[in-house]
Structures are given as C-alpha cells and as structure tokens.
C-alpha cells in the first residue's frame, strides 16, 4: 500500500508508538496500570506483531497474558465490575472484540473467545428486552454504548439469529413515529428529561434528535445496512434504512461547498424542517467527517452505487480542506486530528482512491504535533481509544500498517 508519507514521518510514528508503549510497560512493571484493562488489551493486541517492537514484544505478550488471566478470574469469580455491559467501547464488548482478534491472530483462545461472544449476546438480549419500556437515550442505540455497535460486531460472529433479530427489531422501531405534543416525531427523539447536559435541556426544552456518528442515527443505519447485506431482511428493515437516509438527505446543507448536517436537532426544528446546530468540525463523533463516512459505508453495504459515489466525493472535499477548516483543536480520536487520519486510511484500504491520502502527511504531522503538546501525565498514560493517547497512536500506526482492527469499533472500517 502506498503511504504518501516520507520515511522521516514514518520514523516519527515509530518513535511515538514506541514511547507510548514504554509508558504502559513501565506502569506494568511498577504495578500501577491505572485504567480499565480492556483498553490496554485492545491496544496491545493491535500492536503485538508490528515489527518495530521486537525488543519489547516479549513484555507486550507478558502483559496480555496478565490481563487475560485477570479477566478470567473476574468471570470465574462472577465479579463483572470491568465486564459490565457498556456497548463495544468498554466492558464486555471491548474485551470480546480484543480476544476475538487475538484468537484469530494466535490460533488459540477459540473457546474463550466464543464464550465471551455468547456472554455479550446474552447480556445484550436481556438489555434489548427492556429498552422499549423506557424513554430513549443515545446510549441505548449508539455506536459506543448502545446496541448498534454490538449488532455491527455480532453480525460477523454470532450464530444466534434470535439475538440479532431482537436488536434489528429495536433499531427498526426507532425509525417509526410516535406522538409528542400533538406532532408526529421519530422514535429517535430524545426527550428533555433524558438529555444529558443542563445546557441541552435549556436550549432544546422539547428534546432533540442526534445526527453524529457516535450517538446519532447513522450508527443504526450502518448496522441495519450490514444486517441486510448479511441476509437479515423483512420486519421493516428496508423501510427503516430508507427513513434514516432521508433524514440525512432532508437535513443536509452546504457551506462553502462542504456538506454539513445538524449535530443535535431540536424537536421544534425537526417539526418545522429547519436545519440548526450544524456540524462545527470535521471530527469523528459529531463532525461531518464521521457522518459522511457512515453514509458512504451504508451505501456500500446496500450497493447504492450512486449514493456511494456521492458521499465519496463529499468526504474527499471534507478531508482535503485546509487544515484550519477542520476546526479541530486536540489530537484525540473522538473529536481530534487523529480521527481524520484514521478515516483517510480506512477509506483508502476500502477503495484505493489515492486522492484520500493527498493530505495524509500533513494530517499525520499535525496529529503528532498536537499529541506532543498534549502530553501531560494524565493524557499520555491514558490508553482509551477515544479520549486517550492510545487511540491517537493506533491512528498513526494505521498509516503504516493497514490491517489495524480498531476502525471496526468506530464503524469506519
């Protein structure tokens, strides 16, 4: 794969990756690994076979074994404090994802991986049964903590049709309409009492509908599109897919020739069909970068070739903007510069369109610069995929090694 980056830039990536990995090793050797083991396991499984870690590979494997032993003890003692259900970004989903990748890589741990997938499936099945009885919040359905992310993972690995079907049915239900204050509103509507921030309740007193990839409707769209691709049809799947696509089409607009969408659309704006609270950056979580990548990905699953070409063109314009137009200010993968790098290389892996890498070196160097400026102790010791140095380093490595698995957790693979 062409990298479009100089050898000197590759060396900078090697250096950042090595230095961050040494921080994890130091904390392990001192007995002070400070966060959820699942985050560290995800990172170490991703980098264990990369050839610029030969002198520390044995230690990396030692830490992986240590973490797996700890996870097994929790399971056998029925102490699920770190394995509680919290979607695919942490807890059982995160661990199942990492163990699955490790099992594929090492040809071992097959039964343990299958057990974790079954455990995840049973937990999510029980969880979904409760959802229609309570008011909707993004964490019920979203990519990170909700059922869309879990469905996206389980579609590749579970033979349990009943579990997958229950999740699909819930996502389809979210696209249907209810009545709120005498008007019809899509069930994705987050009511005022379920809004997370006081500022949201103040500014959107009748609630909101989320559009971003992390917590919006596009995550369920990708999951439903993949479900249809895998053969799960009927029960309103086609209609649900078309409803979500129309939502994004109807509320899109252009600013300086760049497509944008609402971030959080107030209920009244939804009823009046007005676009307010537009995307304010080109990040992954709420930015137009993440949304358009999600629409493009959904179109690919569905073989909507015209839509795929359209969103490919729009995403290329977003990525190849002047750097300041991204309106990003941090390195982290959630809403920072590394998210652009991760998306660039994920798309190039998919379609080999070299135009997506024209700004790759610029964006890598900016990410490294912000990463180093941001390197206080709290950040550099944080292995979290979204908000920590771990996700930044994995994004940088993905520019050199195309077989990274973490983009699947973010639905940008």
């Amino acid at each position: 794969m062409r990298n479009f980056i100089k050898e000197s830039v590759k060396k900078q990536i090697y250096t950042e990756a090595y230095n961050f990995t040494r921080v994890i090793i130091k904390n392990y050797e001192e007995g002070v690994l400070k966060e959820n083991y699942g985050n560290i396991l995800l990172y170490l499984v991703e980098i264990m076979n990369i050839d610029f870690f030969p002198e520390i590979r044995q230690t990396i494997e030692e830490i992986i074994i240590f973490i797996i032993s700890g996870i097994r003890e929790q399971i056998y003692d029925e102490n699920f404090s770190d394995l509680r259900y919290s979607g695919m970004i942490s807890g059982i989903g995160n661990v199942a994802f990492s163990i699955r990748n490790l099992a594929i890589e090492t040809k071992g741990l097959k039964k343990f991986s299958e057990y974790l997938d079954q455990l995840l499936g049973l937990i999510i099945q029980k969880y979904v049964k409760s959802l229609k009885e309570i008011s909707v919040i993004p964490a019920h359905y979203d990519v990170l903590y909700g059922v869309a992310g879990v469905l996206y993972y389980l579609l590749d690995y579970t033979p349990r049709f009943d579990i997958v079907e229950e999740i699909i049915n819930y996502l389809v239900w979210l696209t249907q309409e209810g009545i709120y204050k005498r008007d019809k509103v899509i069930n994705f509507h987050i009511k005022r009492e379920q809004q997370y921030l006081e500022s949201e309740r103040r500014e959107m007193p009748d609630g909101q509908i989320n559009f971003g990839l992390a917590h919006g409707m596009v995550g369920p769209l990708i999951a439903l599109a993949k479900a249809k691709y895998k053969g799960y049809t009927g029960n309103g799947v086609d209609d649900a897919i078309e409803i979500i696509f129309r939502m994004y089409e109807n509320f899109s607009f252009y600013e300086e020739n760049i497509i944008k969408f609402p971030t959080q659309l107030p209920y009244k704006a939804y009823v009046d069909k007005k676009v307010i609270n537009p995307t304010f950056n080109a990040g992954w979580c709420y930015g137009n970068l993440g949304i358009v990548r999600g629409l493009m990905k959904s179109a690919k699953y569905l073989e909507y070739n015209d839509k795929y070409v359209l969103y490919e063109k729009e995403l290329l314009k977003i990525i190849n903007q002047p750097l300041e137009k991204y309106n990003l200010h941090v390195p982290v993968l959630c809403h920072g510069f590394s998210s652009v790098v991760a998306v660039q290389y994920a798309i190039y892996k998919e379609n080999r369109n070299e135009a997506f890498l024209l700004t790759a070196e610029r964006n890598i160097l900016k990410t490294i610069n912000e990463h180093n400026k941001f390197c206080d102790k709290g950040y550099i010791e944080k292995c979290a995929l979204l908000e920590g140095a771990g996700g930044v380093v994995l994004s940088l490595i993905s520019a050199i090694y195309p077989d990274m698995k973490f983009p699947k957790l973010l639905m940008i693979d």
Side-chain angles (χ1 to χ4, degrees), residues 37 64-80 83 95 99 108-113 115-116:
Y37 283 167
I64 290 172
I65 293 169
F66 170 78
I67 291 173
I68 292 174
S69 297
I71 291 169
R72 279 182 160 150
E73 285 180 13
Q74 285 188 43
I75 291 173
Y76 297 147
D77 294 342
E78 297 186 353
N79 173 17
F80 291 94
L83 293 178
V95 171
I99 295 295
L109 296 171
K110 183 174 184 290
K111 289 185 178 180
F112 187 45
S113 175
Y115 173 76
L116 288 171

Side-chain angles (χ1 to χ4, degrees), residues 336-368:
F337 291 102
S338 62
S339 67
V340 185
V341 174
V343 168
Q344 284 181 280
Y345 280 92
I347 294 170
Y348 180 69
K349 182 179 178 181
E350 174 181 289
N351 64 16
R352 288 300 191 266
N353 184 344
E354 295 182 353
F356 279 102
L357 299 186
L358 294 177
T359 57
E361 183 172 284
R362 178 198 73 180
N363 293 339
I364 290 167
L365 290 172
K366 180 63 174 177
T367 300
I368 291 173

Side-chain angles (χ1 to χ4, degrees), residues 8 93 96 179 195 199 226 233 237 256 263 281 288 364:
S8 60
I179 300 295
Q195 290 171 312
S199 60
K226 183 174 182 178
T233 57
V237 169
E256 298 181 3
T263 49
N281 67 32
N288 52 358
I364 290 167

Side-chain angles (χ1 to χ4, degrees), residues 293-351:
R293 175 55 181 152
L295 295 173
M296 181 181 170
K297 189 168 181 59
S298 300
K300 184 172 180 63
Y301 276 127
L302 298 164
E303 298 183 344
Y304 292 176
N305 294 329
D306 289 346
K307 287 188 191 303
Y308 184 88
V309 171
L310 168 66
Y311 291 121
E312 180 183 35
K313 175 184 173 184
E314 299 301 340
L315 192 52
L316 189 59
K317 289 193 294 183
I318 293 168
I319 287 174
N320 288 342
Q321 294 178 95
L323 201 60
E324 63 273 11
K325 294 290 187 178
Y326 289 168
N327 198 30
L328 300 172
H329 307 286
V330 292
V332 297
L333 188 48
C334 180
H335 51 275
F337 291 102
S338 62
S339 67
V340 185
V341 174
V343 168
Q344 284 181 280
Y345 280 92
I347 294 170
Y348 180 69
K349 182 179 178 181
E350 174 181 289
N351 64 16

Side-chain angles (χ1 to χ4, degrees), residues 42 86 94 102 123 129 148 231 322-323 329 332:
L42 172 67
S86 50
N94 177 296
L102 186 61
I123 291 172
K129 289 181 185 297
L323 201 60
H329 307 286
V332 297

